[in-house]
Amino acid sequence: MDLRQSIFKARTTAVPATEDPSETKGLEPLPWSDYFETKTKIKSADTVFNVYATGLTNTAGPVFMFHHGAGHSGLTFGLVSKHIRKA
């Protein structure tokens, strides 16, 4: 089996489904406060932007700014923020 066939086979391997719905995580969104310290709504013309921030008072380290431009995924970088704070 060549590399291409191996990759294709790995991508098509079925993942077993759980029988018990209580074993699966819910699809409810996690609260923004689990990942960030503040949430600010900024209005520009007819659009409102949610800005999530952490560590604004800490000026000793580098500044990280992440931008996500698609609809309902404003908390995409929540886990990144949480892990950077731990470091």
Side-chain angles (χ1 to χ4, degrees):
M1 181 180 310
D2 68 11
L3 178 61
R4 183 177 53 89
Q5 291 170 330
S6 297
I7 292 171
F8 181 73
K9 182 178 180 187
R11 288 179 38 190
T12 58
T13 303
V15 176
T18 179
E19 298 288 327
D20 184 0
S22 67
E23 293 179 13
T24 61
K25 293 182 178 180
L27 298 177
E28 296 78 30
L30 297 173
W32 65 266
S33 56
D34 284 358
Y35 305 102
F36 300 98
E37 295 171 352
T38 62
K39 174 184 174 183
T40 305
K41 291 185 179 239
I42 297 177
K43 185 171 174 139
S44 175
D46 60 345
T47 304
V48 177
F49 298 96
N50 290 315
V51 177
Y52 303 94
T54 293
L56 294 177
T57 58
N58 181 4
T59 58
V63 174
F64 294 92
M65 180 181 284
F66 301 101
H67 177 267
H68 191 284
H72 303 287
S73 301
L75 295 174
T76 298
F77 297 105
L79 286 173
V80 174
S81 172
K82 190 173 185 175
H83 287 285
I84 287 173
R85 282 189 298 176
K86 287 181 182 179

